Amino acid sequence: MTYLSVSSRVAAVRERIAAACQRSGRSPSEVTIVAVTKTHPADAVEAVRAAGLTDVGENRIQELEGKVSTIGRQAVRWHLIGHLQRNKAKKALELADMIHSVDSVRLARKLSDEAAASDRVIDVLVQVSVSGEETKGGLVEEGAIDGIAEICSFPGLRVSGLMTMAPYTDDESLIRTTFRATRQLLDRAASVDGFEGRHLSMGMSNDFEVGIEEGSTIVRLGTVLFGERGA
Ligand SMILES: *Cc1c(COP(=O)(O)O)cnc(C)c1O
């Protein structure tokens, strides 16, 4: 992987983001690219930094830890985007600037307890699953507002918004329906005490333009920046 190819891929992605923003009357400044470097070496992080990106995502704590120790805790904003086990909550707090994958009230409580114990407040997104696909993880739509309200009551968390994953499909209308329902859930959650609702983390390499058209503020991109991951 050369710096050159990554920087031209970043440029191409920025153009696609700008076009999606144009179609939906939004500004590209509202959309943050999180470069998902999982399975790639730390060089991938250096390459996206060289291309001007400031946010990097990993889906596993162990790999996040390796990247942070190589690249530096303050060098970029680190995002944890994959399922987190409660016994790794403390580690996650040390390593991540934002946790996208708060997928249960139990995990939220544990993160809040650990954050409060070290006098911190951590930025989180509540992961929701509105597609009916149980494998995706996250709060299901029914009862989601109650769950979000409980999570917002925990003092160690700043609940900045929602994260979701669309079903993996070529059916754009199904993807759009999922993203739109997530956006509507965000709007409904606006009345919850303590819910900031500034961010919608939705959109990956195959569906980020639809995500932006439906209101995404954070797109999590791996393949489109670095190519296919090895098996
Ligand atoms: C791997 C991953 C991504 C990036 O996926 P690509 O399709 O390679 O862009 C985004 N979000 C999560 C949660 C992931 O695990």
Side-chain angles (χ1 to χ4, degrees):
M1 177 179 351
T2 67
Y3 279 18
L4 191 63
S5 69
V6 170
S7 69
S8 64
R9 283 166 181 253
V10 168
V13 163
R14 283 195 193 286
E15 279 182 25
R16 289 171 62 184
I17 289 174
C21 283
Q22 174 107 49
R23 287 195 291 279
S24 47
R26 304 185 60 206
S27 159
S29 66
E30 297 168 25
V31 181
T32 298
I33 299 170
V34 170
V36 178
T37 49
K38 68 187 183 198
T39 77
H40 297 289
D43 285 356
V45 180
E46 294 296 6
V48 291
R49 283 182 75 198
L53 300 188
T54 54
D55 291 74
V56 172
E58 284 287 336
N59 68 335
R60 299 176 59 181
I61 279 289
Q62 210 175 342
E63 211 177 335
L64 176 62
E65 189 170 24
K67 297 280 198 323
V68 168
S69 74
T70 309
I71 304 289
R73 178 66 184 83
Q74 309 295 334
V76 294
R77 281 178 52 81
W78 297 99
H79 298 251
L80 182 66
I81 62 174
H83 175 67
L84 174 64
Q85 291 173 312
R86 278 179 300 146
N87 63 6
K88 308 242 172 81
K90 189 160 186 246
K91 195 104 235 174
L93 284 167
E94 290 165 14
L95 298 169
D97 295 291
M98 179 180 266
I99 299 173
H100 293 224
S101 41
V102 174
D103 55 8
S104 71
V105 173
R106 268 157 50 108
L107 172 61
R109 182 180 292 116
K110 175 73 172 168
L111 280 168
S112 175
D113 288 348
E114 294 288 357
S118 51
D119 255 331
R120 282 194 50 203
V121 175
I122 175 86
D123 264 316
V124 300
L125 304 176
V126 177
Q127 184 175 346
V128 297
S129 174
V130 302
S131 66
E133 262 199 331
E134 296 192 353
T135 52
K136 294 292 184 195
L139 273 61
V140 296
E141 200 163 10
E142 190 185 339
I145 293 289
D146 290 342
I148 291 167
E150 191 170 358
I151 291 170
C152 288
S153 75
F154 298 145
L157 309 180
R158 182 182 306 111
V159 186
S160 303
L162 303 180
M163 180 273 240
T164 202
M165 279 189 266
Y168 192 76
T169 171
D170 291 335
D171 180 353
E172 189 183 306
S173 71
L174 185 56
I175 294 169
R176 193 176 295 281
T177 303
T178 304
F179 287 159
R180 190 165 294 175
T182 304
R183 170 60 196 265
Q184 287 163 349
L185 188 57
L186 184 88
D187 292 343
R188 276 163 55 212
S191 61
V192 170
D193 252 2
F195 184 75
E196 293 196 358
R198 288 178 293 122
H199 284 301
L200 265 180
S201 170
M202 50 186 205
M204 304 176 25
S205 291
N206 63 319
D207 57 18
F208 69 94
E209 288 146 307
V210 180
I212 290 167
E213 287 167 12
E214 297 301 329
S216 175
T217 66
I218 301 177
V219 291
R220 309 179 309 272
L221 305 179
T223 308
V224 76
L225 298 177
F226 306 113
E228 295 287 340
R229 284 178 291 275

mmCIF file with all atom_site columns, all heavy atoms in Angstrom, residues 17-18 34 37 44 67-69 79-80 97 104 109 121 132 142 146 165 184 192 198 225:
data_model
loop_
_atom_site.group_PDB
_atom_site.id
_atom_site.type_symbol
_atom_site.label_atom_id
_atom_site.label_alt_id
_atom_site.label_comp_id
_atom_site.label_asym_id
_atom_site.label_entity_id
_atom_site.label_seq_id
_atom_site.pdbx_PDB_ins_code
_atom_site.Cartn_x
_atom_site.Cartn_y
_atom_site.Cartn_z
_atom_site.occupancy
_atom_site.B_iso_or_equiv
_atom_site.pdbx_formal_charge
_atom_site.auth_seq_id
_atom_site.auth_comp_id
_atom_site.auth_asym_id
_atom_site.auth_atom_id
_atom_site.pdbx_PDB_model_num
ATOM 1   N N   . ILE A 1 17  ? -18.438 12.050 -1.589 1.00 0.00 ? 17  ILE A N   1
ATOM 2   C CA  . ILE A 1 17  ? -19.155 12.626 -0.438 1.00 0.00 ? 17  ILE A CA  1
ATOM 3   C C   . ILE A 1 17  ? -19.736 13.991 -0.816 1.00 0.00 ? 17  ILE A C   1
ATOM 4   O O   . ILE A 1 17  ? -20.898 14.288 -0.521 1.00 0.00 ? 17  ILE A O   1
ATOM 5   C CB  . ILE A 1 17  ? -18.211 12.740 0.783  1.00 0.00 ? 17  ILE A CB  1
ATOM 6   C CG1 . ILE A 1 17  ? -17.912 11.344 1.330  1.00 0.00 ? 17  ILE A CG1 1
ATOM 7   C CG2 . ILE A 1 17  ? -18.816 13.641 1.869  1.00 0.00 ? 17  ILE A CG2 1
ATOM 8   C CD1 . ILE A 1 17  ? -16.873 11.319 2.451  1.00 0.00 ? 17  ILE A CD1 1
ATOM 9   N N   . ALA A 1 18  ? -18.926 14.783 -1.506 1.00 0.00 ? 18  ALA A N   1
ATOM 10  C CA  . ALA A 1 18  ? -19.403 16.118 -1.908 1.00 0.00 ? 18  ALA A CA  1
ATOM 11  C C   . ALA A 1 18  ? -20.625 16.004 -2.817 1.00 0.00 ? 18  ALA A C   1
ATOM 12  O O   . ALA A 1 18  ? -21.585 16.768 -2.684 1.00 0.00 ? 18  ALA A O   1
ATOM 13  C CB  . ALA A 1 18  ? -18.277 16.886 -2.599 1.00 0.00 ? 18  ALA A CB  1
ATOM 14  N N   . VAL A 1 34  ? -14.282 8.319  8.993  1.00 0.00 ? 34  VAL A N   1
ATOM 15  C CA  . VAL A 1 34  ? -13.479 7.493  9.891  1.00 0.00 ? 34  VAL A CA  1
ATOM 16  C C   . VAL A 1 34  ? -12.833 6.405  9.031  1.00 0.00 ? 34  VAL A C   1
ATOM 17  O O   . VAL A 1 34  ? -13.539 5.596  8.415  1.00 0.00 ? 34  VAL A O   1
ATOM 18  C CB  . VAL A 1 34  ? -14.327 6.873  11.014 1.00 0.00 ? 34  VAL A CB  1
ATOM 19  C CG1 . VAL A 1 34  ? -13.526 5.834  11.787 1.00 0.00 ? 34  VAL A CG1 1
ATOM 20  C CG2 . VAL A 1 34  ? -14.836 7.954  11.967 1.00 0.00 ? 34  VAL A CG2 1
ATOM 21  N N   . THR A 1 37  ? -9.111  0.890  9.657  1.00 0.00 ? 37  THR A N   1
ATOM 22  C CA  . THR A 1 37  ? -7.816  0.286  9.307  1.00 0.00 ? 37  THR A CA  1
ATOM 23  C C   . THR A 1 37  ? -7.686  -1.167 9.764  1.00 0.00 ? 37  THR A C   1
ATOM 24  O O   . THR A 1 37  ? -6.594  -1.741 9.677  1.00 0.00 ? 37  THR A O   1
ATOM 25  C CB  . THR A 1 37  ? -6.667  1.114  9.926  1.00 0.00 ? 37  THR A CB  1
ATOM 26  O OG1 . THR A 1 37  ? -6.956  1.351  11.310 1.00 0.00 ? 37  THR A OG1 1
ATOM 27  C CG2 . THR A 1 37  ? -6.533  2.457  9.226  1.00 0.00 ? 37  THR A CG2 1
ATOM 28  N N   . ALA A 1 44  ? -1.127  1.989  7.340  1.00 0.00 ? 44  ALA A N   1
ATOM 29  C CA  . ALA A 1 44  ? -2.395  2.472  6.771  1.00 0.00 ? 44  ALA A CA  1
ATOM 30  C C   . ALA A 1 44  ? -2.840  3.739  7.491  1.00 0.00 ? 44  ALA A C   1
ATOM 31  O O   . ALA A 1 44  ? -3.388  4.662  6.877  1.00 0.00 ? 44  ALA A O   1
ATOM 32  C CB  . ALA A 1 44  ? -3.475  1.390  6.870  1.00 0.00 ? 44  ALA A CB  1
ATOM 33  N N   . LYS A 1 67  ? -2.331  -0.419 17.289 1.00 0.00 ? 67  LYS A N   1
ATOM 34  C CA  . LYS A 1 67  ? -2.208  0.786  16.458 1.00 0.00 ? 67  LYS A CA  1
ATOM 35  C C   . LYS A 1 67  ? -1.890  2.003  17.328 1.00 0.00 ? 67  LYS A C   1
ATOM 36  O O   . LYS A 1 67  ? -1.038  2.824  16.979 1.00 0.00 ? 67  LYS A O   1
ATOM 37  C CB  . LYS A 1 67  ? -3.511  1.046  15.684 1.00 0.00 ? 67  LYS A CB  1
ATOM 38  C CG  . LYS A 1 67  ? -3.918  -0.012 14.675 1.00 0.00 ? 67  LYS A CG  1
ATOM 39  C CD  . LYS A 1 67  ? -3.179  0.090  13.386 1.00 0.00 ? 67  LYS A CD  1
ATOM 40  C CE  . LYS A 1 67  ? -3.839  -0.638 12.208 1.00 0.00 ? 67  LYS A CE  1
ATOM 41  N NZ  . LYS A 1 67  ? -4.504  -1.919 12.445 1.00 0.00 ? 67  LYS A NZ  1
ATOM 42  N N   . VAL A 1 68  ? -2.584  2.114  18.458 1.00 0.00 ? 68  VAL A N   1
ATOM 43  C CA  . VAL A 1 68  ? -2.372  3.279  19.326 1.00 0.00 ? 68  VAL A CA  1
ATOM 44  C C   . VAL A 1 68  ? -0.936  3.298  19.825 1.00 0.00 ? 68  VAL A C   1
ATOM 45  O O   . VAL A 1 68  ? -0.290  4.351  19.862 1.00 0.00 ? 68  VAL A O   1
ATOM 46  C CB  . VAL A 1 68  ? -3.378  3.277  20.504 1.00 0.00 ? 68  VAL A CB  1
ATOM 47  C CG1 . VAL A 1 68  ? -2.976  4.308  21.565 1.00 0.00 ? 68  VAL A CG1 1
ATOM 48  C CG2 . VAL A 1 68  ? -4.790  3.552  20.014 1.00 0.00 ? 68  VAL A CG2 1
ATOM 49  N N   . SER A 1 69  ? -0.411  2.111  20.157 1.00 0.00 ? 69  SER A N   1
ATOM 50  C CA  . SER A 1 69  ? 0.954   2.131  20.698 1.00 0.00 ? 69  SER A CA  1
ATOM 51  C C   . SER A 1 69  ? 1.975   2.454  19.611 1.00 0.00 ? 69  SER A C   1
ATOM 52  O O   . SER A 1 69  ? 3.002   3.064  19.882 1.00 0.00 ? 69  SER A O   1
ATOM 53  C CB  . SER A 1 69  ? 1.274   0.834  21.446 1.00 0.00 ? 69  SER A CB  1
ATOM 54  O OG  . SER A 1 69  ? 1.467   -0.197 20.527 1.00 0.00 ? 69  SER A OG  1
ATOM 55  N N   . HIS A 1 79  ? -11.498 5.708  17.050 1.00 0.00 ? 79  HIS A N   1
ATOM 56  C CA  . HIS A 1 79  ? -12.898 5.291  17.202 1.00 0.00 ? 79  HIS A CA  1
ATOM 57  C C   . HIS A 1 79  ? -12.957 3.774  17.358 1.00 0.00 ? 79  HIS A C   1
ATOM 58  O O   . HIS A 1 79  ? -12.373 3.045  16.538 1.00 0.00 ? 79  HIS A O   1
ATOM 59  C CB  . HIS A 1 79  ? -13.706 5.662  15.953 1.00 0.00 ? 79  HIS A CB  1
ATOM 60  C CG  . HIS A 1 79  ? -13.775 7.139  15.682 1.00 0.00 ? 79  HIS A CG  1
ATOM 61  N ND1 . HIS A 1 79  ? -14.925 7.873  15.840 1.00 0.00 ? 79  HIS A ND1 1
ATOM 62  C CD2 . HIS A 1 79  ? -12.825 8.017  15.265 1.00 0.00 ? 79  HIS A CD2 1
ATOM 63  C CE1 . HIS A 1 79  ? -14.684 9.145  15.539 1.00 0.00 ? 79  HIS A CE1 1
ATOM 64  N NE2 . HIS A 1 79  ? -13.422 9.255  15.179 1.00 0.00 ? 79  HIS A NE2 1
ATOM 65  N N   . LEU A 1 80  ? -13.662 3.322  18.359 1.00 0.00 ? 80  LEU A N   1
ATOM 66  C CA  . LEU A 1 80  ? -13.932 1.890  18.477 1.00 0.00 ? 80  LEU A CA  1
ATOM 67  C C   . LEU A 1 80  ? -15.300 1.637  17.866 1.00 0.00 ? 80  LEU A C   1
ATOM 68  O O   . LEU A 1 80  ? -16.304 2.208  18.301 1.00 0.00 ? 80  LEU A O   1
ATOM 69  C CB  . LEU A 1 80  ? -13.907 1.442  19.942 1.00 0.00 ? 80  LEU A CB  1
ATOM 70  C CG  . LEU A 1 80  ? -14.147 -0.059 20.113 1.00 0.00 ? 80  LEU A CG  1
ATOM 71  C CD1 . LEU A 1 80  ? -13.004 -0.880 19.527 1.00 0.00 ? 80  LEU A CD1 1
ATOM 72  C CD2 . LEU A 1 80  ? -14.351 -0.419 21.588 1.00 0.00 ? 80  LEU A CD2 1
ATOM 73  N N   . ASP A 1 97  ? -11.397 7.660  21.604 1.00 0.00 ? 97  ASP A N   1
ATOM 74  C CA  . ASP A 1 97  ? -12.006 8.974  21.796 1.00 0.00 ? 97  ASP A CA  1
ATOM 75  C C   . ASP A 1 97  ? -13.512 8.904  21.641 1.00 0.00 ? 97  ASP A C   1
ATOM 76  O O   . ASP A 1 97  ? -14.234 9.732  22.185 1.00 0.00 ? 97  ASP A O   1
ATOM 77  C CB  . ASP A 1 97  ? -11.429 9.957  20.767 1.00 0.00 ? 97  ASP A CB  1
ATOM 78  C CG  . ASP A 1 97  ? -9.948  10.177 21.002 1.00 0.00 ? 97  ASP A CG  1
ATOM 79  O OD1 . ASP A 1 97  ? -9.607  10.791 22.018 1.00 0.00 ? 97  ASP A OD1 1
ATOM 80  O OD2 . ASP A 1 97  ? -9.137  9.682  20.194 1.00 0.00 ? 97  ASP A OD2 1
ATOM 81  N N   . SER A 1 104 ? -25.741 -2.191 24.317 1.00 0.00 ? 104 SER A N   1
ATOM 82  C CA  . SER A 1 104 ? -26.648 -2.658 25.374 1.00 0.00 ? 104 SER A CA  1
ATOM 83  C C   . SER A 1 104 ? -26.573 -1.703 26.554 1.00 0.00 ? 104 SER A C   1
ATOM 84  O O   . SER A 1 104 ? -25.578 -0.989 26.730 1.00 0.00 ? 104 SER A O   1
ATOM 85  C CB  . SER A 1 104 ? -26.260 -4.070 25.835 1.00 0.00 ? 104 SER A CB  1
ATOM 86  O OG  . SER A 1 104 ? -25.048 -4.031 26.578 1.00 0.00 ? 104 SER A OG  1
ATOM 87  N N   . ARG A 1 109 ? -23.645 0.892  31.156 1.00 0.00 ? 109 ARG A N   1
ATOM 88  C CA  . ARG A 1 109 ? -23.486 1.093  32.600 1.00 0.00 ? 109 ARG A CA  1
ATOM 89  C C   . ARG A 1 109 ? -22.032 0.831  33.010 1.00 0.00 ? 109 ARG A C   1
ATOM 90  O O   . ARG A 1 109 ? -21.430 1.589  33.765 1.00 0.00 ? 109 ARG A O   1
ATOM 91  C CB  . ARG A 1 109 ? -24.435 0.173  33.374 1.00 0.00 ? 109 ARG A CB  1
ATOM 92  C CG  . ARG A 1 109 ? -24.358 0.365  34.898 1.00 0.00 ? 109 ARG A CG  1
ATOM 93  C CD  . ARG A 1 109 ? -25.307 -0.561 35.644 1.00 0.00 ? 109 ARG A CD  1
ATOM 94  N NE  . ARG A 1 109 ? -26.703 -0.215 35.398 1.00 0.00 ? 109 ARG A NE  1
ATOM 95  C CZ  . ARG A 1 109 ? -27.584 -1.006 34.788 1.00 0.00 ? 109 ARG A CZ  1
ATOM 96  N NH1 . ARG A 1 109 ? -27.222 -2.199 34.354 1.00 0.00 ? 109 ARG A NH1 1
ATOM 97  N NH2 . ARG A 1 109 ? -28.822 -0.616 34.636 1.00 0.00 ? 109 ARG A NH2 1
ATOM 98  N N   . VAL A 1 121 ? -15.474 11.595 31.120 1.00 0.00 ? 121 VAL A N   1
ATOM 99  C CA  . VAL A 1 121 ? -16.717 11.408 30.404 1.00 0.00 ? 121 VAL A CA  1
ATOM 100 C C   . VAL A 1 121 ? -16.321 10.976 28.996 1.00 0.00 ? 121 VAL A C   1
ATOM 101 O O   . VAL A 1 121 ? -15.472 11.598 28.371 1.00 0.00 ? 121 VAL A O   1
ATOM 102 C CB  . VAL A 1 121 ? -17.547 12.713 30.347 1.00 0.00 ? 121 VAL A CB  1
ATOM 103 C CG1 . VAL A 1 121 ? -18.779 12.523 29.487 1.00 0.00 ? 121 VAL A CG1 1
ATOM 104 C CG2 . VAL A 1 121 ? -17.947 13.153 31.751 1.00 0.00 ? 121 VAL A CG2 1
ATOM 105 N N   . GLY A 1 132 ? -34.220 -5.293 11.631 1.00 0.00 ? 132 GLY A N   1
ATOM 106 C CA  . GLY A 1 132 ? -34.791 -6.583 11.984 1.00 0.00 ? 132 GLY A CA  1
ATOM 107 C C   . GLY A 1 132 ? -33.793 -7.717 11.831 1.00 0.00 ? 132 GLY A C   1
ATOM 108 O O   . GLY A 1 132 ? -34.103 -8.871 12.078 1.00 0.00 ? 132 GLY A O   1
ATOM 109 N N   . GLU A 1 142 ? -37.958 -1.538 18.922 1.00 0.00 ? 142 GLU A N   1
ATOM 110 C CA  . GLU A 1 142 ? -38.972 -1.543 19.967 1.00 0.00 ? 142 GLU A CA  1
ATOM 111 C C   . GLU A 1 142 ? -38.278 -1.369 21.328 1.00 0.00 ? 142 GLU A C   1
ATOM 112 O O   . GLU A 1 142 ? -37.400 -2.146 21.691 1.00 0.00 ? 142 GLU A O   1
ATOM 113 C CB  . GLU A 1 142 ? -39.743 -2.866 19.932 1.00 0.00 ? 142 GLU A CB  1
ATOM 114 C CG  . GLU A 1 142 ? -40.959 -2.834 20.815 1.00 0.00 ? 142 GLU A CG  1
ATOM 115 C CD  . GLU A 1 142 ? -41.646 -4.199 20.854 1.00 0.00 ? 142 GLU A CD  1
ATOM 116 O OE1 . GLU A 1 142 ? -41.430 -5.007 19.928 1.00 0.00 ? 142 GLU A OE1 1
ATOM 117 O OE2 . GLU A 1 142 ? -42.376 -4.441 21.832 1.00 0.00 ? 142 GLU A OE2 1
ATOM 118 N N   . ASP A 1 146 ? -36.537 3.924  25.352 1.00 0.00 ? 146 ASP A N   1
ATOM 119 C CA  . ASP A 1 146 ? -36.353 3.667  26.790 1.00 0.00 ? 146 ASP A CA  1
ATOM 120 C C   . ASP A 1 146 ? -34.902 3.313  27.080 1.00 0.00 ? 146 ASP A C   1
ATOM 121 O O   . ASP A 1 146 ? -34.315 3.762  28.067 1.00 0.00 ? 146 ASP A O   1
ATOM 122 C CB  . ASP A 1 146 ? -37.255 2.516  27.264 1.00 0.00 ? 146 ASP A CB  1
ATOM 123 C CG  . ASP A 1 146 ? -38.724 2.918  27.264 1.00 0.00 ? 146 ASP A CG  1
ATOM 124 O OD1 . ASP A 1 146 ? -38.997 4.134  27.244 1.00 0.00 ? 146 ASP A OD1 1
ATOM 125 O OD2 . ASP A 1 146 ? -39.584 2.014  27.270 1.00 0.00 ? 146 ASP A OD2 1
ATOM 126 N N   . MET A 1 165 ? -25.747 -0.282 11.296 1.00 0.00 ? 165 MET A N   1
ATOM 127 C CA  . MET A 1 165 ? -25.241 -0.942 10.097 1.00 0.00 ? 165 MET A CA  1
ATOM 128 C C   . MET A 1 165 ? -26.437 -1.412 9.277  1.00 0.00 ? 165 MET A C   1
ATOM 129 O O   . MET A 1 165 ? -27.353 -2.026 9.808  1.00 0.00 ? 165 MET A O   1
ATOM 130 C CB  . MET A 1 165 ? -24.386 -2.144 10.477 1.00 0.00 ? 165 MET A CB  1
ATOM 131 C CG  . MET A 1 165 ? -22.980 -1.737 10.861 1.00 0.00 ? 165 MET A CG  1
ATOM 132 S SD  . MET A 1 165 ? -21.925 -3.189 11.037 1.00 0.00 ? 165 MET A SD  1
ATOM 133 C CE  . MET A 1 165 ? -22.100 -3.440 12.783 1.00 0.00 ? 165 MET A CE  1
ATOM 134 N N   . GLN A 1 184 ? -34.984 8.658  11.823 1.00 0.00 ? 184 GLN A N   1
ATOM 135 C CA  . GLN A 1 184 ? -36.236 8.982  12.521 1.00 0.00 ? 184 GLN A CA  1
ATOM 136 C C   . GLN A 1 184 ? -36.136 8.665  14.006 1.00 0.00 ? 184 GLN A C   1
ATOM 137 O O   . GLN A 1 184 ? -36.668 9.396  14.850 1.00 0.00 ? 184 GLN A O   1
ATOM 138 C CB  . GLN A 1 184 ? -37.409 8.223  11.860 1.00 0.00 ? 184 GLN A CB  1
ATOM 139 C CG  . GLN A 1 184 ? -37.759 8.833  10.498 1.00 0.00 ? 184 GLN A CG  1
ATOM 140 C CD  . GLN A 1 184 ? -38.603 7.926  9.617  1.00 0.00 ? 184 GLN A CD  1
ATOM 141 O OE1 . GLN A 1 184 ? -38.783 6.746  9.902  1.00 0.00 ? 184 GLN A OE1 1
ATOM 142 N NE2 . GLN A 1 184 ? -39.124 8.481  8.528  1.00 0.00 ? 184 GLN A NE2 1
ATOM 143 N N   . VAL A 1 192 ? -35.134 13.107 24.647 1.00 0.00 ? 192 VAL A N   1
ATOM 144 C CA  . VAL A 1 192 ? -34.581 12.403 25.817 1.00 0.00 ? 192 VAL A CA  1
ATOM 145 C C   . VAL A 1 192 ? -33.579 13.302 26.540 1.00 0.00 ? 192 VAL A C   1
ATOM 146 O O   . VAL A 1 192 ? -32.690 13.876 25.910 1.00 0.00 ? 192 VAL A O   1
ATOM 147 C CB  . VAL A 1 192 ? -33.889 11.089 25.365 1.00 0.00 ? 192 VAL A CB  1
ATOM 148 C CG1 . VAL A 1 192 ? -33.097 10.476 26.521 1.00 0.00 ? 192 VAL A CG1 1
ATOM 149 C CG2 . VAL A 1 192 ? -34.903 10.102 24.813 1.00 0.00 ? 192 VAL A CG2 1
ATOM 150 N N   . ARG A 1 198 ? -26.091 14.710 17.969 1.00 0.00 ? 198 ARG A N   1
ATOM 151 C CA  . ARG A 1 198 ? -25.401 15.441 16.897 1.00 0.00 ? 198 ARG A CA  1
ATOM 152 C C   . ARG A 1 198 ? -24.928 14.506 15.797 1.00 0.00 ? 198 ARG A C   1
ATOM 153 O O   . ARG A 1 198 ? -24.667 14.936 14.680 1.00 0.00 ? 198 ARG A O   1
ATOM 154 C CB  . ARG A 1 198 ? -24.164 16.161 17.466 1.00 0.00 ? 198 ARG A CB  1
ATOM 155 C CG  . ARG A 1 198 ? -24.481 17.342 18.330 1.00 0.00 ? 198 ARG A CG  1
ATOM 156 C CD  . ARG A 1 198 ? -23.210 17.965 18.905 1.00 0.00 ? 198 ARG A CD  1
ATOM 157 N NE  . ARG A 1 198 ? -22.556 17.074 19.840 1.00 0.00 ? 198 ARG A NE  1
ATOM 158 C CZ  . ARG A 1 198 ? -21.307 16.627 19.729 1.00 0.00 ? 198 ARG A CZ  1
ATOM 159 N NH1 . ARG A 1 198 ? -20.572 16.961 18.694 1.00 0.00 ? 198 ARG A NH1 1
ATOM 160 N NH2 . ARG A 1 198 ? -20.805 15.824 20.634 1.00 0.00 ? 198 ARG A NH2 1
ATOM 161 N N   . LEU A 1 225 ? -10.971 2.755  0.861  1.00 0.00 ? 225 LEU A N   1
ATOM 162 C CA  . LEU A 1 225 ? -9.698  3.474  1.051  1.00 0.00 ? 225 LEU A CA  1
ATOM 163 C C   . LEU A 1 225 ? -8.472  2.583  0.883  1.00 0.00 ? 225 LEU A C   1
ATOM 164 O O   . LEU A 1 225 ? -7.413  3.038  0.448  1.00 0.00 ? 225 LEU A O   1
ATOM 165 C CB  . LEU A 1 225 ? -9.651  4.102  2.453  1.00 0.00 ? 225 LEU A CB  1
ATOM 166 C CG  . LEU A 1 225 ? -10.705 5.155  2.768  1.00 0.00 ? 225 LEU A CG  1
ATOM 167 C CD1 . LEU A 1 225 ? -10.568 5.626  4.218  1.00 0.00 ? 225 LEU A CD1 1
ATOM 168 C CD2 . LEU A 1 225 ? -10.587 6.343  1.816  1.00 0.00 ? 225 LEU A CD2 1
#
